[in-house]
Amino acid sequence: MGGCFSDVRGGKDAVGGDLPRPTEPNAKNDGAHNDAIELFYRAHGAYPLFTQLELSFSASKLLNLDVTSKSDPMVIVYLKKNDGKLEELGRTEVILNNLNPVWIQKVSVAYQFEMVQNLIFRVYDVDTQYHNVPVKTLNLKDQEFLGEGSCVLSEIVTKQNRSLTLTLKGKNGHGGLRNFGTLTVHAEETIASRSAVEIKFRCAHLDNKDLFSKSDPFLRISRTVETGGSIPICKTEVVDNNLNPTWKPLCLSMQQFGSKDNPLVIECFDFNSDGNHILIGKLQKSVADLEKLFKEKSGVNFFIPSSRAGHEKVLKGQLFVDQFCEKEQFSFVDYISSGFELNFMVAVDFTGSNGDPRKPESLHYIDPYGRLNSYQQAITEVGQVIQFYDADKSFPALGFGGRTANGTVSHCFNLNGNASESEVVGVEGIMAAYANALRNVALSGPTLFGQVVNRAAEIAARSLSSNNNKYYVLLIITDGILTDLQETKDALVRASNLPLSILIVGVGNADFKQMEILDADNGQRLESSTGRIATRDIVQFVPMRDVQSGQISVVQGLLEELPGQFLSYMRSMDIKPLTFNAAAQASRALEIL
Amino acid sequence: MAANSRTLEIKVISAENLQLDRKPIKKNASVTVRTDTNSQFRTTDMDTEGGAYPRWNETLVLDLPTHSKSITVEVQCKTSSSVRTIGTATIPASDFVGGYVPEGYLHFLSYRLRDHKGERNGIINISVSMEAQKMYAYASSTTWSNSTMGFPATGNKSFGSGVVTGVPVWYGVYQKDY
């Protein structure tokens, strides 16, 4: 949750210390992800969730273009942007005289779940005269092209050992009769991604900043940057009315704090509902220092900075570390590459408020010239990203609020017209079923989500009988306002402890204020009519019309949250990546023998 | 354990926003879990640190009779003068049994607590699983369960007695029988 809370209750929640949300580039960043992108995201109020990956390469049976010896190959990695332009991400070194090279130099790339990252790899034979020249300065026009391969980054990440072998082709993708050989790309997360520390902070003798009661303290932890400032990485929840508070344990990933010796700024504020939190005190300690505090069971005093350097006022208030433990946190890539899948499902609104699909003003109008309507846009944007994480690309496609062939209004029918099977293959399959349904189903109403949510929950629950490596994502696209909010809340609460996330995209011009209640970002957990409360917040809502021009689409914002929701489910259920389990069971089996 | 009841493992995790007389409580909250037939109940330790947001992380084990329809969870607070009930929640068995979810699934559930006047008073967070099965657990000998792994155990399965094969299951529980 990187947004601003206008609700006090939500504003008191801990932020950032729980999930691995790296907001700073890795200290060893080599330019693949740079500060300009950071600032861009921060200016838009969003923190991108990315993981730094390192790509390493090997090739076999490359073309031999040298006369007296063999080719001297090098690989260049490009990112293909939406406009088709290529942005170079990095180069390997040149290996001499080898048609089956294994390069050492890795290329860093920031893995962003919410985008389809098209990578192009080009292999060049570097001419002898350039062999002692820095690789970066080589002009490719002077080198000989050996072959090109391309893939989407998520294809590499979802492979068992995160290695993908591509058949190289000539320029413009023509293979022709020539055999250009193969290129194998392997992705590795930097080690820092997996280490984390769990720290339980406590304070004593804090100053009282409130008039009629005691301070409501919370801690904010920031990482210092080279330029001298500091960037907040997380904050604790607020403890009301307490000058000796203990907070819930915070989990900081190494991606957030950089290294154990990196100085962290810890500030203690008194929470005020008007947003003007008063600084009680601050101090600077690295993670290694905090570990020392834990071992020695000692406290460190806060101070108030003053304009005169060296004259900070030392306060009575102290910080203690009651718990400190280092742990390994499996990352999203760990799960995905070990065989975990994201299964995609779609539910489309067939209520009358969309307008007659035959008329161009209708939200369901299918443009003969190919311009996608809002429904098609949402399906494409989400489907194109998630499809790579779904092994069989078999997606249940549902509709609600329409009058089907048998004359009754259904709140959960199959778009493909099949009575029993709701699944279609690929995003193209969804589009075809959607167009087909528009011809055969009459728009009706009212707008009810309850049944499609129940169906999604049923599918997710059933899958648990055979395995626990599937996580489901239901995309609901709707133009209107829910008719029965309570029934939908009930369905959502019942689904909230299952491996399921629900993305709701609102299209058209309706006032979607009511949908924001379902999103629960204001801190209010959903409550069912039976008194049960949602275990976790599985719903995200965004209105499509908030699309900003430029590269960041609003739907991408929805997708950014998915890896976090996936991880929080897996971690709370203590489900580990498959390879880890397999190894553990194998060793246990050996013990029994 | 008789053949007509099932073992229920309830981990009482935490509670939120507990109040007495409209003020947040200071400390000493504890939780009692009961079957609806009132045949058994278990209570957690008191939490002394969390105040109105106590954390117990304590697992209680109950035998739930087969025909049982719900369990109740009651949060109490020990004040200087007495033990007062802050609120209760009734958890229907259908929330953790049946449906499409397989047996033994660890259900993380949360419920609204209501005080004796029926007004809302906080939230209780728990996790529930029907059988204590972890790794090579024994199979339950109840009549209707259909667990799929482990070796059948003989006799009584209440923990502390009975025969099990395989790696003993962690309980981390101690009972308080009043």
Side-chain angles (χ1 to χ4, degrees), chain A residues 9 248 458 461-462 464-465 497-498 525 527 531-533 535 569 572-573 588 592, chain B residues 16 49 55 95 100-102 105-112 120 123 125 135-136:
Chain A
R9 177 76 182 82
K248 289 190 214 165
E458 180 193 334
R462 277 189 198 280
L464 290 167
S465 312
N497 67 332
L498 295 173
R525 293 160 74 180
E527 193 161 331
R532 185 172 155 196
I533 294 187
T535 304
Y569 175 81
S572 65
M573 299 294 291
R588 222 177 290 126
I592 292 180
Chain B
E16 299 173 28
E49 283 183 14
R55 274 201 159 250
D95 279 359
Y100 301 104
V101 178
Y105 184 71
L106 184 62
H107 293 266
F108 280 87
L109 305 169
S110 300
Y111 291 88
R112 164 71 57 202
R120 306 156 100 119
I123 294 175
N125 300 311
M135 297 184 268
Y136 307 138

mmCIF file of all heavy atoms in Angstrom, chain A residues 9 248 458 461-462 464-465 497-498 525 527 531-533 535 569 572-573 588 592, chain B residues 16 49 55 95 100-102 105-112 120 123 125 135-136:
data_model
loop_
_atom_site.group_PDB
_atom_site.id
_atom_site.type_symbol
_atom_site.label_atom_id
_atom_site.label_comp_id
_atom_site.label_asym_id
_atom_site.label_seq_id
_atom_site.Cartn_x
_atom_site.Cartn_y
_atom_site.Cartn_z
ATOM 1 N N ARG A 9 -7.937 5.364 10.730
ATOM 2 C CA ARG A 9 -7.689 3.969 11.072
ATOM 3 C C ARG A 9 -6.655 3.359 10.141
ATOM 4 O O ARG A 9 -5.720 2.716 10.550
ATOM 5 C CB ARG A 9 -9.033 3.230 10.955
ATOM 6 C CG ARG A 9 -8.984 1.759 11.192
ATOM 7 C CD ARG A 9 -8.852 1.424 12.667
ATOM 8 N NE ARG A 9 -8.758 -0.006 12.843
ATOM 9 C CZ ARG A 9 -7.643 -0.699 12.692
ATOM 10 N NH1 ARG A 9 -6.535 -0.089 12.382
ATOM 11 N NH2 ARG A 9 -7.639 -2.002 12.841
ATOM 12 N N LYS A 248 4.470 -4.338 16.731
ATOM 13 C CA LYS A 248 4.523 -5.676 16.128
ATOM 14 C C LYS A 248 5.830 -5.818 15.361
ATOM 15 O O LYS A 248 6.371 -4.828 14.874
ATOM 16 C CB LYS A 248 3.371 -5.849 15.132
ATOM 17 C CG LYS A 248 2.037 -5.966 15.783
ATOM 18 C CD LYS A 248 0.992 -6.369 14.747
ATOM 19 C CE LYS A 248 -0.331 -5.710 15.099
ATOM 20 N NZ LYS A 248 -1.287 -5.745 14.033
ATOM 21 N N GLU A 458 -14.768 -21.344 -5.562
ATOM 22 C CA GLU A 458 -14.930 -22.791 -5.693
ATOM 23 C C GLU A 458 -13.776 -23.389 -6.473
ATOM 24 O O GLU A 458 -13.208 -24.415 -6.094
ATOM 25 C CB GLU A 458 -16.253 -23.073 -6.410
ATOM 26 C CG GLU A 458 -16.536 -24.551 -6.597
ATOM 27 C CD GLU A 458 -17.692 -24.783 -7.579
ATOM 28 O OE1 GLU A 458 -18.554 -23.882 -7.712
ATOM 29 O OE2 GLU A 458 -17.710 -25.863 -8.200
ATOM 30 N N ALA A 461 -10.682 -23.319 -4.319
ATOM 31 C CA ALA A 461 -10.742 -24.285 -3.216
ATOM 32 C C ALA A 461 -10.555 -25.706 -3.726
ATOM 33 O O ALA A 461 -9.843 -26.508 -3.119
ATOM 34 C CB ALA A 461 -12.073 -24.144 -2.482
ATOM 35 N N ARG A 462 -11.178 -26.006 -4.867
ATOM 36 C CA ARG A 462 -11.057 -27.367 -5.412
ATOM 37 C C ARG A 462 -9.611 -27.703 -5.731
ATOM 38 O O ARG A 462 -9.166 -28.828 -5.554
ATOM 39 C CB ARG A 462 -11.874 -27.508 -6.694
ATOM 40 C CG ARG A 462 -13.328 -27.800 -6.469
ATOM 41 C CD ARG A 462 -13.966 -28.148 -7.808
ATOM 42 N NE ARG A 462 -15.402 -28.049 -7.784
ATOM 43 C CZ ARG A 462 -16.217 -28.976 -7.288
ATOM 44 N NH1 ARG A 462 -15.721 -30.085 -6.783
ATOM 45 N NH2 ARG A 462 -17.520 -28.800 -7.295
ATOM 46 N N LEU A 464 -7.082 -26.977 -4.234
ATOM 47 C CA LEU A 464 -6.286 -27.274 -3.045
ATOM 48 C C LEU A 464 -6.242 -28.761 -2.738
ATOM 49 O O LEU A 464 -5.357 -29.235 -2.030
ATOM 50 C CB LEU A 464 -6.847 -26.521 -1.834
ATOM 51 C CG LEU A 464 -6.633 -25.013 -1.883
ATOM 52 C CD1 LEU A 464 -7.474 -24.332 -0.825
ATOM 53 C CD2 LEU A 464 -5.171 -24.682 -1.688
ATOM 54 N N SER A 465 -7.221 -29.528 -3.263
ATOM 55 C CA SER A 465 -7.228 -30.965 -2.977
ATOM 56 C C SER A 465 -6.046 -31.650 -3.629
ATOM 57 O O SER A 465 -5.553 -32.641 -3.121
ATOM 58 C CB SER A 465 -8.507 -31.610 -3.509
ATOM 59 O OG SER A 465 -9.610 -30.865 -3.115
ATOM 60 N N ASN A 497 -9.748 -16.299 2.547
ATOM 61 C CA ASN A 497 -8.637 -17.095 3.052
ATOM 62 C C ASN A 497 -8.212 -18.150 2.037
ATOM 63 O O ASN A 497 -7.554 -19.118 2.368
ATOM 64 C CB ASN A 497 -8.976 -17.743 4.401
ATOM 65 C CG ASN A 497 -10.055 -18.793 4.271
ATOM 66 O OD1 ASN A 497 -10.897 -18.724 3.391
ATOM 67 N ND2 ASN A 497 -10.027 -19.780 5.154
ATOM 68 N N LEU A 498 -8.609 -17.938 0.786
ATOM 69 C CA LEU A 498 -8.244 -18.871 -0.278
ATOM 70 C C LEU A 498 -7.159 -18.249 -1.150
ATOM 71 O O LEU A 498 -6.968 -17.036 -1.120
ATOM 72 C CB LEU A 498 -9.478 -19.168 -1.137
ATOM 73 C CG LEU A 498 -10.596 -19.905 -0.412
ATOM 74 C CD1 LEU A 498 -11.820 -19.994 -1.316
ATOM 75 C CD2 LEU A 498 -10.139 -21.306 -0.013
ATOM 76 N N ARG A 525 -11.685 -3.638 7.197
ATOM 77 C CA ARG A 525 -11.802 -4.973 6.640
ATOM 78 C C ARG A 525 -13.260 -5.275 6.343
ATOM 79 O O ARG A 525 -14.146 -4.880 7.083
ATOM 80 C CB ARG A 525 -11.235 -5.984 7.632
ATOM 81 C CG ARG A 525 -9.723 -5.822 7.808
ATOM 82 C CD ARG A 525 -9.241 -6.445 9.077
ATOM 83 N NE ARG A 525 -9.213 -7.888 9.005
ATOM 84 C CZ ARG A 525 -8.826 -8.661 10.015
ATOM 85 N NH1 ARG A 525 -8.474 -8.110 11.146
ATOM 86 N NH2 ARG A 525 -8.825 -9.970 9.889
ATOM 87 N N GLU A 527 -16.805 -6.990 6.184
ATOM 88 C CA GLU A 527 -17.505 -7.797 7.168
ATOM 89 C C GLU A 527 -18.712 -8.442 6.513
ATOM 90 O O GLU A 527 -19.480 -7.783 5.814
ATOM 91 C CB GLU A 527 -17.969 -6.884 8.312
ATOM 92 C CG GLU A 527 -18.428 -7.626 9.531
ATOM 93 C CD GLU A 527 -18.440 -6.732 10.762
ATOM 94 O OE1 GLU A 527 -17.630 -5.794 10.824
ATOM 95 O OE2 GLU A 527 -19.269 -6.983 11.642
ATOM 96 N N GLY A 531 -21.044 -11.958 10.508
ATOM 97 C CA GLY A 531 -20.072 -11.546 11.517
ATOM 98 C C GLY A 531 -18.658 -11.987 11.206
ATOM 99 O O GLY A 531 -17.727 -11.742 11.966
ATOM 100 N N ARG A 532 -18.473 -12.654 10.089
ATOM 101 C CA ARG A 532 -17.102 -13.041 9.745
ATOM 102 C C ARG A 532 -16.425 -11.864 9.039
ATOM 103 O O ARG A 532 -17.052 -11.112 8.296
ATOM 104 C CB ARG A 532 -17.116 -14.266 8.829
ATOM 105 C CG ARG A 532 -15.708 -14.733 8.574
ATOM 106 C CD ARG A 532 -15.635 -16.027 7.838
ATOM 107 N NE ARG A 532 -14.353 -16.073 7.142
ATOM 108 C CZ ARG A 532 -14.052 -16.900 6.159
ATOM 109 N NH1 ARG A 532 -14.961 -17.759 5.755
ATOM 110 N NH2 ARG A 532 -12.884 -16.859 5.593
ATOM 111 N N ILE A 533 -15.143 -11.737 9.290
ATOM 112 C CA ILE A 533 -14.397 -10.604 8.741
ATOM 113 C C ILE A 533 -13.350 -11.126 7.758
ATOM 114 O O ILE A 533 -12.776 -12.199 7.974
ATOM 115 C CB ILE A 533 -13.743 -9.822 9.887
ATOM 116 C CG1 ILE A 533 -14.866 -9.198 10.717
ATOM 117 C CG2 ILE A 533 -12.798 -8.749 9.389
ATOM 118 C CD1 ILE A 533 -14.401 -8.262 11.768
ATOM 119 N N THR A 535 -10.209 -12.239 5.968
ATOM 120 C CA THR A 535 -8.890 -12.588 6.481
ATOM 121 C C THR A 535 -7.833 -11.668 5.899
ATOM 122 O O THR A 535 -6.910 -11.244 6.576
ATOM 123 C CB THR A 535 -8.565 -14.033 6.086
ATOM 124 O OG1 THR A 535 -9.597 -14.869 6.562
ATOM 125 C CG2 THR A 535 -7.225 -14.461 6.630
ATOM 126 N N TYR A 569 -0.019 -14.550 0.958
ATOM 127 C CA TYR A 569 -0.774 -15.783 1.145
ATOM 128 C C TYR A 569 0.172 -16.947 1.410
ATOM 129 O O TYR A 569 0.015 -17.695 2.366
ATOM 130 C CB TYR A 569 -1.636 -16.081 -0.093
ATOM 131 C CG TYR A 569 -2.344 -17.409 0.000
ATOM 132 C CD1 TYR A 569 -3.527 -17.550 0.715
ATOM 133 C CD2 TYR A 569 -1.811 -18.544 -0.616
ATOM 134 C CE1 TYR A 569 -4.157 -18.775 0.822
ATOM 135 C CE2 TYR A 569 -2.441 -19.770 -0.506
ATOM 136 C CZ TYR A 569 -3.607 -19.884 0.207
ATOM 137 O OH TYR A 569 -4.222 -21.106 0.323
ATOM 138 N N SER A 572 1.887 -16.728 4.854
ATOM 139 C CA SER A 572 1.042 -16.943 6.029
ATOM 140 C C SER A 572 0.632 -18.413 6.119
ATOM 141 O O SER A 572 0.434 -18.939 7.205
ATOM 142 C CB SER A 572 -0.190 -16.047 5.983
ATOM 143 O OG SER A 572 -0.995 -16.411 4.894
ATOM 144 N N MET A 573 0.527 -19.094 4.980
ATOM 145 C CA MET A 573 0.178 -20.515 4.995
ATOM 146 C C MET A 573 1.423 -21.374 5.136
ATOM 147 O O MET A 573 1.337 -22.598 5.112
ATOM 148 C CB MET A 573 -0.538 -20.896 3.691
ATOM 149 C CG MET A 573 -1.833 -20.164 3.457
ATOM 150 S SD MET A 573 -3.072 -20.607 4.661
ATOM 151 C CE MET A 573 -3.405 -22.281 4.193
ATOM 152 N N ARG A 588 14.392 -36.535 4.132
ATOM 153 C CA ARG A 588 13.688 -37.203 5.217
ATOM 154 C C ARG A 588 13.463 -38.660 4.884
ATOM 155 O O ARG A 588 13.562 -39.539 5.725
ATOM 156 C CB ARG A 588 12.353 -36.514 5.475
ATOM 157 C CG ARG A 588 12.069 -36.365 6.941
ATOM 158 C CD ARG A 588 10.791 -35.615 7.176
ATOM 159 N NE ARG A 588 10.899 -34.220 6.825
ATOM 160 C CZ ARG A 588 10.076 -33.602 5.981
ATOM 161 N NH1 ARG A 588 9.083 -34.230 5.435
ATOM 162 N NH2 ARG A 588 10.240 -32.317 5.707
ATOM 163 N N ILE A 592 14.657 -42.179 7.074
ATOM 164 C CA ILE A 592 13.831 -43.287 7.555
ATOM 165 C C ILE A 592 14.422 -44.608 7.092
ATOM 166 O O ILE A 592 14.378 -45.597 7.793
ATOM 167 C CB ILE A 592 12.382 -43.113 7.049
ATOM 168 C CG1 ILE A 592 11.771 -41.904 7.754
ATOM 169 C CG2 ILE A 592 11.580 -44.346 7.323
ATOM 170 C CD1 ILE A 592 10.352 -41.648 7.343
ATOM 171 N N GLU B 16 -8.232 -7.338 18.122
ATOM 172 C CA GLU B 16 -8.041 -5.916 17.814
ATOM 173 C C GLU B 16 -9.121 -5.071 18.465
ATOM 174 O O GLU B 16 -10.281 -5.466 18.510
ATOM 175 C CB GLU B 16 -8.098 -5.712 16.295
ATOM 176 C CG GLU B 16 -7.015 -6.474 15.554
ATOM 177 C CD GLU B 16 -7.202 -6.383 14.043
ATOM 178 O OE1 GLU B 16 -7.761 -5.386 13.561
ATOM 179 O OE2 GLU B 16 -6.798 -7.333 13.347
ATOM 180 N N GLU B 49 0.986 -7.641 27.362
ATOM 181 C CA GLU B 49 1.691 -6.523 26.716
ATOM 182 C C GLU B 49 0.881 -5.759 25.690
ATOM 183 O O GLU B 49 1.100 -4.577 25.482
ATOM 184 C CB GLU B 49 2.901 -7.072 25.968
ATOM 185 C CG GLU B 49 4.064 -7.411 26.838
ATOM 186 C CD GLU B 49 5.225 -7.884 25.979
ATOM 187 O OE1 GLU B 49 5.167 -7.667 24.754
ATOM 188 O OE2 GLU B 49 6.154 -8.454 26.536
ATOM 189 N N ARG B 55 -1.807 -10.196 21.561
ATOM 190 C CA ARG B 55 -1.335 -11.269 20.684
ATOM 191 C C ARG B 55 -1.104 -12.487 21.536
ATOM 192 O O ARG B 55 -0.380 -12.413 22.521
ATOM 193 C CB ARG B 55 0.042 -10.902 20.100
ATOM 194 C CG ARG B 55 -0.083 -10.108 18.917
ATOM 195 C CD ARG B 55 1.038 -10.050 17.968
ATOM 196 N NE ARG B 55 0.387 -9.631 16.725
ATOM 197 C CZ ARG B 55 0.219 -10.379 15.669
ATOM 198 N NH1 ARG B 55 0.729 -11.569 15.630
ATOM 199 N NH2 ARG B 55 -0.437 -9.943 14.634
ATOM 200 N N ASP B 95 -17.720 -22.851 8.359
ATOM 201 C CA ASP B 95 -16.629 -21.958 7.957
ATOM 202 C C ASP B 95 -15.297 -22.681 7.885
ATOM 203 O O ASP B 95 -14.351 -22.196 7.270
ATOM 204 C CB ASP B 95 -16.499 -20.774 8.932
ATOM 205 C CG ASP B 95 -17.518 -19.677 8.629
ATOM 206 O OD1 ASP B 95 -18.292 -19.845 7.663
ATOM 207 O OD2 ASP B 95 -17.535 -18.679 9.356
ATOM 208 N N TYR B 100 -15.590 -26.855 -0.548
ATOM 209 C CA TYR B 100 -14.713 -27.506 -1.518
ATOM 210 C C TYR B 100 -13.305 -27.642 -1.014
ATOM 211 O O TYR B 100 -12.468 -28.265 -1.641
ATOM 212 C CB TYR B 100 -14.713 -26.691 -2.816
ATOM 213 C CG TYR B 100 -16.096 -26.549 -3.408
ATOM 214 C CD1 TYR B 100 -16.807 -25.363 -3.296
ATOM 215 C CD2 TYR B 100 -16.710 -27.627 -4.039
ATOM 216 C CE1 TYR B 100 -18.080 -25.242 -3.819
ATOM 217 C CE2 TYR B 100 -17.978 -27.510 -4.559
ATOM 218 C CZ TYR B 100 -18.651 -26.329 -4.449
ATOM 219 O OH TYR B 100 -19.910 -26.216 -4.960
ATOM 220 N N VAL B 101 -13.032 -27.039 0.143
ATOM 221 C CA VAL B 101 -11.667 -27.024 0.633
ATOM 222 C C VAL B 101 -11.354 -28.383 1.267
ATOM 223 O O VAL B 101 -12.171 -28.917 2.004
ATOM 224 C CB VAL B 101 -11.506 -25.898 1.673
ATOM 225 C CG1 VAL B 101 -10.108 -25.896 2.222
ATOM 226 C CG2 VAL B 101 -11.836 -24.558 1.048
ATOM 227 N N PRO B 102 -10.192 -28.932 1.008
ATOM 228 C CA PRO B 102 -9.883 -30.257 1.555
ATOM 229 C C PRO B 102 -9.728 -30.252 3.066
ATOM 230 O O PRO B 102 -9.479 -29.219 3.676
ATOM 231 C CB PRO B 102 -8.553 -30.634 0.879
ATOM 232 C CG PRO B 102 -7.967 -29.348 0.434
ATOM 233 C CD PRO B 102 -9.113 -28.430 0.132
ATOM 234 N N TYR B 105 -7.073 -28.328 5.820
ATOM 235 C CA TYR B 105 -6.640 -27.019 5.333
ATOM 236 C C TYR B 105 -6.575 -26.058 6.511
ATOM 237 O O TYR B 105 -7.415 -26.092 7.394
ATOM 238 C CB TYR B 105 -7.637 -26.508 4.296
ATOM 239 C CG TYR B 105 -7.251 -25.202 3.645
ATOM 240 C CD1 TYR B 105 -6.187 -25.133 2.744
ATOM 241 C CD2 TYR B 105 -7.963 -24.043 3.912
ATOM 242 C CE1 TYR B 105 -5.850 -23.945 2.137
ATOM 243 C CE2 TYR B 105 -7.628 -22.849 3.309
ATOM 244 C CZ TYR B 105 -6.570 -22.806 2.419
ATOM 245 O OH TYR B 105 -6.239 -21.631 1.816
ATOM 246 N N LEU B 106 -5.551 -25.230 6.505
ATOM 247 C CA LEU B 106 -5.390 -24.273 7.584
ATOM 248 C C LEU B 106 -6.204 -23.021 7.240
ATOM 249 O O LEU B 106 -5.834 -22.249 6.368
ATOM 250 C CB LEU B 106 -3.908 -23.936 7.736
ATOM 251 C CG LEU B 106 -3.553 -23.020 8.895
ATOM 252 C CD1 LEU B 106 -3.928 -23.661 10.207
ATOM 253 C CD2 LEU B 106 -2.060 -22.712 8.853
ATOM 254 N N HIS B 107 -7.323 -22.851 7.928
ATOM 255 C CA HIS B 107 -8.183 -21.704 7.654
ATOM 256 C C HIS B 107 -7.788 -20.531 8.530
ATOM 257 O O HIS B 107 -7.856 -20.627 9.750
ATOM 258 C CB HIS B 107 -9.645 -22.050 7.977
ATOM 259 C CG HIS B 107 -10.244 -23.079 7.084
ATOM 260 N ND1 HIS B 107 -10.972 -22.760 5.969
ATOM 261 C CD2 HIS B 107 -10.240 -24.421 7.160
ATOM 262 C CE1 HIS B 107 -11.381 -23.870 5.386
ATOM 263 N NE2 HIS B 107 -10.954 -24.895 6.080
ATOM 264 N N PHE B 108 -7.414 -19.436 7.930
ATOM 265 C CA PHE B 108 -7.194 -18.207 8.699
ATOM 266 C C PHE B 108 -8.507 -17.441 8.689
ATOM 267 O O PHE B 108 -9.002 -17.076 7.625
ATOM 268 C CB PHE B 108 -6.087 -17.363 8.057
ATOM 269 C CG PHE B 108 -4.710 -17.858 8.418
ATOM 270 C CD1 PHE B 108 -4.112 -18.852 7.668
ATOM 271 C CD2 PHE B 108 -4.029 -17.338 9.503
ATOM 272 C CE1 PHE B 108 -2.849 -19.329 8.000
ATOM 273 C CE2 PHE B 108 -2.767 -17.797 9.837
ATOM 274 C CZ PHE B 108 -2.178 -18.798 9.084
ATOM 275 N N LEU B 109 -9.071 -17.237 9.866
ATOM 276 C CA LEU B 109 -10.397 -16.628 9.937
ATOM 277 C C LEU B 109 -10.393 -15.469 10.917
ATOM 278 O O LEU B 109 -9.614 -15.446 11.879
ATOM 279 C CB LEU B 109 -11.420 -17.678 10.410
ATOM 280 C CG LEU B 109 -11.477 -18.974 9.585
ATOM 281 C CD1 LEU B 109 -12.322 -20.008 10.305
ATOM 282 C CD2 LEU B 109 -12.061 -18.705 8.207
ATOM 283 N N SER B 110 -11.274 -14.539 10.680
ATOM 284 C CA SER B 110 -11.417 -13.411 11.612
ATOM 285 C C SER B 110 -12.899 -13.171 11.835
ATOM 286 O O SER B 110 -13.707 -13.361 10.923
ATOM 287 C CB SER B 110 -10.797 -12.148 11.021
ATOM 288 O OG SER B 110 -9.425 -12.345 10.765
ATOM 289 N N TYR B 111 -13.237 -12.752 13.052
ATOM 290 C CA TYR B 111 -14.646 -12.539 13.378
ATOM 291 C C TYR B 111 -14.869 -11.284 14.188
ATOM 292 O O TYR B 111 -14.021 -10.852 14.968
ATOM 293 C CB TYR B 111 -15.202 -13.740 14.163
ATOM 294 C CG TYR B 111 -15.288 -14.956 13.297
ATOM 295 C CD1 TYR B 111 -14.203 -15.809 13.178
ATOM 296 C CD2 TYR B 111 -16.429 -15.209 12.532
ATOM 297 C CE1 TYR B 111 -14.254 -16.907 12.326
ATOM 298 C CE2 TYR B 111 -16.494 -16.310 11.689
ATOM 299 C CZ TYR B 111 -15.392 -17.143 11.592
ATOM 300 O OH TYR B 111 -15.444 -18.219 10.750
ATOM 301 N N ARG B 112 -16.064 -10.731 14.009
ATOM 302 C CA ARG B 112 -16.506 -9.580 14.793
ATOM 303 C C ARG B 112 -16.919 -10.078 16.176
ATOM 304 O O ARG B 112 -17.653 -11.042 16.284
ATOM 305 C CB ARG B 112 -17.701 -8.927 14.074
ATOM 306 C CG ARG B 112 -18.510 -7.966 14.894
ATOM 307 C CD ARG B 112 -17.764 -6.693 15.161
ATOM 308 N NE ARG B 112 -17.351 -6.038 13.929
ATOM 309 C CZ ARG B 112 -16.337 -5.158 13.876
ATOM 310 N NH1 ARG B 112 -15.674 -4.858 14.970
ATOM 311 N NH2 ARG B 112 -16.017 -4.589 12.739
ATOM 312 N N ARG B 120 -20.881 -4.117 18.749
ATOM 313 C CA ARG B 120 -19.575 -4.555 18.261
ATOM 314 C C ARG B 120 -18.493 -4.154 19.230
ATOM 315 O O ARG B 120 -18.485 -3.046 19.750
ATOM 316 C CB ARG B 120 -19.271 -3.866 16.927
ATOM 317 C CG ARG B 120 -20.346 -4.046 15.915
ATOM 318 C CD ARG B 120 -20.247 -2.916 14.959
ATOM 319 N NE ARG B 120 -19.563 -3.363 13.769
ATOM 320 C CZ ARG B 120 -20.100 -3.353 12.585
ATOM 321 N NH1 ARG B 120 -21.297 -2.884 12.437
ATOM 322 N NH2 ARG B 120 -19.445 -3.775 11.543
ATOM 323 N N ILE B 123 -12.316 -7.328 17.101
ATOM 324 C CA ILE B 123 -12.175 -8.405 16.118
ATOM 325 C C ILE B 123 -11.252 -9.460 16.704
ATOM 326 O O ILE B 123 -10.296 -9.131 17.413
ATOM 327 C CB ILE B 123 -11.525 -7.857 14.827
ATOM 328 C CG1 ILE B 123 -12.456 -6.863 14.140
ATOM 329 C CG2 ILE B 123 -11.155 -8.972 13.871
ATOM 330 C CD1 ILE B 123 -11.820 -6.214 12.932
ATOM 331 N N ASN B 125 -8.787 -12.776 15.644
ATOM 332 C CA ASN B 125 -8.128 -13.449 14.518
ATOM 333 C C ASN B 125 -7.645 -14.815 14.962
ATOM 334 O O ASN B 125 -6.917 -14.937 15.948
ATOM 335 C CB ASN B 125 -6.903 -12.644 14.054
ATOM 336 C CG ASN B 125 -7.282 -11.247 13.587
ATOM 337 O OD1 ASN B 125 -8.191 -11.071 12.803
ATOM 338 N ND2 ASN B 125 -6.576 -10.256 14.095
ATOM 339 N N MET B 135 3.104 -33.103 7.840
ATOM 340 C CA MET B 135 4.059 -34.086 7.315
ATOM 341 C C MET B 135 3.475 -35.495 7.391
ATOM 342 O O MET B 135 2.427 -35.742 6.864
ATOM 343 C CB MET B 135 5.381 -33.978 8.062
ATOM 344 C CG MET B 135 6.021 -32.619 7.837
ATOM 345 S SD MET B 135 7.636 -32.473 8.583
ATOM 346 C CE MET B 135 7.229 -31.809 10.165
ATOM 347 N N TYR B 136 4.124 -36.388 8.051
ATOM 348 C CA TYR B 136 3.630 -37.764 8.053
ATOM 349 C C TYR B 136 2.702 -37.984 9.220
ATOM 350 O O TYR B 136 2.967 -38.776 10.103
ATOM 351 C CB TYR B 136 4.771 -38.763 8.172
ATOM 352 C CG TYR B 136 5.842 -38.548 7.149
ATOM 353 C CD1 TYR B 136 7.180 -38.633 7.499
ATOM 354 C CD2 TYR B 136 5.517 -38.247 5.846
ATOM 355 C CE1 TYR B 136 8.166 -38.445 6.566
ATOM 356 C CE2 TYR B 136 6.506 -38.046 4.913
ATOM 357 C CZ TYR B 136 7.821 -38.150 5.258
ATOM 358 O OH TYR B 136 8.788 -37.966 4.337
#
